[in-house]
Structures are given as C-alpha cells and as structure tokens.
Amino acid sequence: MQRKGIGFSQVYDIRAVRILVPEIRDCYATLGLVHGLWRNIPNEFDDYIANPKENGYRSLHTAVIGPEGKILEVQIRTTQMHEESELGVCAHWRYKKSDVPSNLASSYEEKIAWLRQVLDLNDVVGDSGDVVEQFSSDLAQDRVYVFTPNGDVVNLTYGATPLDFAYHVHTEIGHRCRGAKVNGAIVPLTYTLQTGERVEILTSRQGVPKRDWLQSGLGYLRTSRARAKVQHWFKAQAREDNVDAGRHLLEREFRRLALTSVDYRRVADKVHMPTVDDMFAAVGAGDLVYATVLNAAQSLVEKRTEPQLQVARPGSDPLSRGQIRVQGVGNLLTHMAGCCKPLPGDAITGFITRVRGVSIHRSDCGRLLDLQESAPERMIEVAWGESPRENYEVDVAIEAYDRQGLLRDITHLFANARINVLAIATQTNKKKHTATMRLTVEVPDLGALSKLLERISRLSNVVSVARVSE
C-alpha cells in the first residue's frame, strides 16, 4: 500500500484462490466461467500467459466481486506453470519478499541463469574444461559452483572445503576421504573452493572420519550438513571406544601443552558432564570439542576464590603489573620464571627471592621442587589476576624430517596467527635428515597455543611439536 500509494480497499489480493488446469486452453475456458459467475473489476485482469513476466512467470490473474460481496483474486494456471512458479526462479518468495533488496533478487536470478548456461553448455560440449574457461570469471558471492571429475556441477556454500564437497557427493565418500585434487593439483582438505574449479576426492578403502575434522578452528568443515554427518558417525560408535578416544585426545593435548596437574573431575563439572567418562565420551563422539575442555581447565585455574591482593605496586615493571595476586601480601614485585615460563591457565606457585621479589613458577616446575626442598619457608601461594597481560613468552620445540621450505612454512603459520616470534634456533642432522627447532614466541593464553601447535603438527614432515616446560 505504501509503495503503490493505494488504500486498503484497493488491495485486491487479500483473499485469493488458485485454480490449476491441465492445458493452456483450459485456463481461458476457466476464466470465462469465473467471469460468468461473478462480476469482474475493471482494469484488474492480467494475462501473464500471453505476456509472461521477465522472470518467466505465467498465469492469468483476475479480480472479481465474489461471495458476500467481497473482492476475490483468482489465479488460473496449468500444473506445469504452477511448478515453475513455486520451485523455479520466478517463485513468489524469491522475487516479492519485502525484506529482500531488489539487487539481491536480481543477483539470484543472474546466478540461476549462469548455472543454466553451464548445464546447457556442458551437455553439448561433454568436457567441462571448455566450460570452466568460459565461466570461471562469473563468481557468485554466497554460493560456489564446482565441477566433479565427470563434469557435473555441485552447488556448495561459499567457503566450502574439499571435505564439504566429499560429503555433499556422498556420505561414504566423505568418511573415506583422505585427500583432494583441485584442477589436478593436490590441495589440503582445508582449502577454500572457488567457483569453476574441478574437484577430485582421494579415498581409502576402509577410511573413517577423523575427530579433528570437528574442530572448528582447524577449518576442515564449513557446512553444517557435513559436520552433522561426521558427528552422527561418531555417535554410532561404541561408548567404550568414544571414552578411550576422548581420553587419548585430551591427554595428548594436555601433554603437548605441558599441563601435568589437571583435575579432570572439576573440569567435567565445569563443562556440565556428570562424570569424567561422560566428558571423555562426549569428546570422543564429537559432541564436545577439546578446546572447550581446555578453556574450562584454564578458567578453573584463573578464578580462585580466596581473598587476594595485588602484588605489583604502582610504578613497577609494566609487564608484571596486574598479572599475579598473592594471598595476604601486597606491594611486591613479581617476575615470570625463565625456567618454566608459566601461562595463564597453568597452576602456579610463588618463590620469594632475595633481590627480585616473587618469582612465579609453574607448580610442576623441576626448579621449583628443588627450591621447595632447600627453602620451603619462602614458598607463597599465588594465582592469576583478573587482567593478565596480553602476551606471554613460551618455548616451543619442533622435531621434523628436514625438507626445503620447512622453516618458511612454520613461520608462515605464526604470521597468519599474528603470534610474535622472539627467538628461533634450528639444528639439522644431515646424516639422519632431521631438524630440531626451538622457538620462543608470545601467546595470549593456552587456547591460542593449543590451536597453533595443532596446525604445526599438520605440516608435512613434522614429527612432533610441544611446549617446553623447562
């Protein structure tokens, strides 16, 4: 009414009836019957069969004064016209939805026209190579159209990966997927597909999904449909297998982060699991990502309930101010011990030094245990403050088989994660063709470190990567 500048009484399609008939000639015969039963309203008849709309919509529209003197719109069309109207590009909800901008509607129609051209040309040519060359520049921002090895077109969500493609083709292909080729070249399963690319999935005979595929931070799956299929597969496995797999996954992750004093019972309560085995089973089945468990463990360490006072006094080292709280003591300097370099989330203990205030160690630090034996009276309880500093130094050790470009690939991951590398030392054994690296980096917390270590472990030739505790 606002768009056309008309009153309510001039809106003739508030009440409407649709009549479906077999043939086009039946449309006009039915129109005559309708006008014979009720008086039609002048200038409210549209023949979209003789003059279809630009989007291909066809139908007869007429407005009459129907039963009880109420205005009624009558739409008359064939069954074929109805299917095209409801399911084709001229569907009412696509082009007439009030909250959809006109530019989006036209963009949608352009994409459908593009896809129809691809299908038509592909049927004629038979080889998608020429089709790709012609249409690779016509990109759709919200959808991706890629080719199978046989030249069939697959429609995926923008940002989809080869693994999403595999699950779209068939669930078993997704389960057995072990690699992918795009335009003939091997790509990682986290590769982002682009419109016009030809995708080939490499499978194994008895492959099964990997739990890492469900970790959102790793970027294997971008579509909810593929993720649901992987989760369903793991749910179908025996509970004992899921418990063992979940325990192995969490223990491996905590071990890689050098966390040796995790209270699994408290962590299970934090993630709302009745028992520790339930938590392991949920992780193993893919219902609970291990990053959530890691964050829960970290929050349990950070949120101590004892009344505490700030350690650092105004004017002290800015890197130490506001990080550590010491029970019952204030106005003290603190510094992070260089032997274990604790991170927020680590269990920590303080040692009162003679000249540098309180030295903060991880509770399982070997050096701290020696100090505890020699001077137990100088131990002091500490905890992380509410506003820890932005970045902490941590040492990372990498073992790998040496190859050209290994160091470049590793530093590229750090750059993409926006993590600063403070120092790096590399030693190569030419006889064994191995390389040992030790890096000192700055990370904000354990979660960021966990994600980084996982990505490094995915690089080719990398044997192990772990945080160095001492």
Side-chain angles (χ1 to χ4, degrees):
M1 290 166 58
Q2 292 177 350
R3 178 167 50 86
K4 293 184 177 181
I6 59 177
F8 184 79
S9 61
Q10 295 173 286
V11 181
Y12 298 134
D13 58 354
I14 292 177
R15 287 173 295 273
V17 61
R18 181 173 298 146
I19 303 172
L20 303 184
V21 296
E23 304 291 340
I24 294 179
R25 62 175 179 269
D26 299 324
C27 294
Y28 293 97
T30 304
L31 178 65
L33 292 174
V34 170
H35 285 177
L37 290 172
W38 299 293
R39 183 168 61 89
N40 67 297
I41 299 175
N43 302 321
E44 289 301 324
F45 169 69
D46 294 299
D47 187 349
Y48 294 124
I49 295 179
N51 300 289
K53 290 186 177 183
E54 292 182 358
N55 58 16
Y57 177 82
R58 296 186 299 163
S59 182
L60 295 179
H61 289 192
T62 185
V64 299
I65 301 177
E68 302 179 5
K70 295 181 179 179
I71 296 176
L72 176 70
E73 180 183 81
V74 180
Q75 300 177 357
I76 307 169
R77 64 182 67 158
T78 66
T79 302
Q80 181 182 356
M81 295 176 188
H82 176 69
E83 291 178 353
E84 292 177 354
S85 174
E86 294 298 309
L87 304 177
V89 296
C90 55
H92 190 279
W93 62 272
R94 289 177 181 160
Y95 75 88
K96 206 172 182 179
K97 194 172 181 182
S98 59
D99 59 349
V100 177
S102 60
N103 63 324
L104 291 184
S106 61
S107 174
Y108 183 86
E109 292 177 10
E110 289 174 0
K111 294 167 192 172
I112 294 297
W114 178 91
L115 183 55
R116 282 178 171 171
Q117 293 178 57
V118 173
L119 294 173
D120 292 341
L121 185 58
N122 189 53
D123 290 339
V124 174
V125 176
D127 181 3
S128 63
D130 296 334
V131 181
V132 172
E133 293 179 1
Q134 180 169 347
F135 292 98
S136 60
S137 61
D138 298 334
L139 302 179
Q141 295 303 316
D142 56 347
R143 305 297 296 178
V144 174
Y145 303 96
V146 295
F147 293 93
T148 68
N150 295 330
D152 298 324
V153 178
V154 175
N155 178 1
L156 297 170
T157 302
Y158 182 76
T161 65
L163 199 54
D164 290 307
F165 172 89
Y167 276 104
H168 183 92
V169 173
H170 196 279
T171 302
E172 283 302 316
I173 294 179
H175 289 344
R176 295 188 289 112
C177 176
R178 288 300 173 265
K181 289 183 179 180
V182 171
N183 295 336
I186 295 290
V187 297
L189 292 180
T190 55
Y191 175 82
T192 300
L193 297 176
Q194 303 295 326
T195 293
E197 292 179 328
R198 187 201 301 260
V199 184
E200 179 183 353
I201 299 300
L202 309 178
T203 61
S204 60
R205 288 186 177 181
Q206 297 179 341
V208 296
K210 295 184 177 181
R211 287 179 171 84
D212 290 341
W213 292 355
L214 295 173
Q215 306 303 321
S216 57
L218 301 181
Y220 283 101
L221 297 172
R222 307 284 176 80
T223 63
S224 57
R225 175 183 177 184
R227 185 178 299 275
K229 290 183 177 181
V230 176
Q231 290 175 335
H232 181 268
W233 189 91
F234 284 113
K235 287 181 181 179
Q237 308 309 303
R239 173 179 168 83
E240 293 76 12
D241 293 339
N242 286 332
V243 170
D244 291 340
R247 179 186 292 108
H248 172 75
L249 185 63
L250 288 178
E251 289 178 349
R252 183 200 68 180
E253 190 63 23
F254 284 126
R255 184 168 56 251
R256 185 160 59 187
L257 293 171
L259 297 177
T260 58
S261 56
V262 178
D263 188 341
Y264 286 108
R265 174 65 264 173
R266 293 183 63 202
V267 175
D269 291 338
K270 185 69 176 178
V271 296
H272 309 293
M273 290 292 170
T275 66
V276 174
D277 279 351
D278 288 332
M279 179 179 69
F280 288 150
V283 173
D287 293 332
L288 180 65
V289 295
Y290 68 75
T292 302
V293 180
L294 180 62
N295 292 335
Q298 180 175 344
S299 66
L300 287 175
V301 176
E302 291 178 346
K303 296 181 180 179
R304 299 288 179 89
T305 57
E306 296 86 0
Q308 298 163 340
L309 297 176
Q310 198 72 28
V311 174
R313 65 176 181 268
S316 64
D317 181 4
L319 293 180
S320 299
R321 189 184 309 131
Q323 300 168 52
I324 306 298
R325 295 177 182 272
V326 179
Q327 184 174 359
V329 180
N331 201 31
L332 289 177
L333 290 176
T334 65
H335 68 276
M336 299 296 173
C339 53
C340 56
K341 297 181 179 178
L343 285 174
D346 288 332
I348 52 177
T349 301
F351 179 78
I352 302 175
T353 66
R354 297 185 183 279
V355 294
R356 298 188 62 191
V358 178
S359 175
I360 307 302
H361 295 257
R362 286 177 45 185
S363 297
D364 57 355
C365 174
R367 171 61 177 162
L368 180 68
L369 297 178
D370 294 338
L371 294 174
Q372 190 172 8
E373 291 183 1
S374 60
E377 71 282 358
R378 292 163 66 182
M379 294 294 167
I380 189 169
E381 293 186 12
V382 296
W384 296 102
E386 296 179 357
S387 302
R389 66 181 177 184
E390 292 184 358
N391 291 301
Y392 292 80
E393 291 185 16
V394 62
D395 291 333
V396 175
I398 302 173
E399 299 288 338
Y401 291 106
D402 196 19
R403 64 172 173 83
Q404 187 175 5
L406 177 62
L407 180 60
R408 177 201 61 205
D409 293 343
I410 292 175
T411 54
H412 182 67
L413 285 180
F414 281 98
N416 286 343
R418 297 183 178 179
I419 290 180
N420 189 30
V421 179
L422 302 179
I424 183 170
T426 302
Q427 186 174 4
T428 302
N429 187 323
K430 293 185 177 181
K431 293 183 178 180
K432 296 182 178 180
H433 303 286
T434 60
T436 302
M437 301 182 185
R438 180 150 179 168
L439 301 90
T440 301
V441 300
E442 288 183 330
V443 296
D445 51 37
L446 285 175
L449 179 61
S450 173
K451 185 179 297 186
L452 177 66
L453 297 185
E454 179 63 30
R455 290 178 176 175
I456 292 176
S457 69
R458 297 290 171 185
L459 292 176
S460 61
N461 288 33
V462 172
V463 177
S464 66
V465 54
R467 175 188 177 188
V468 180
S469 59
E470 293 186 31

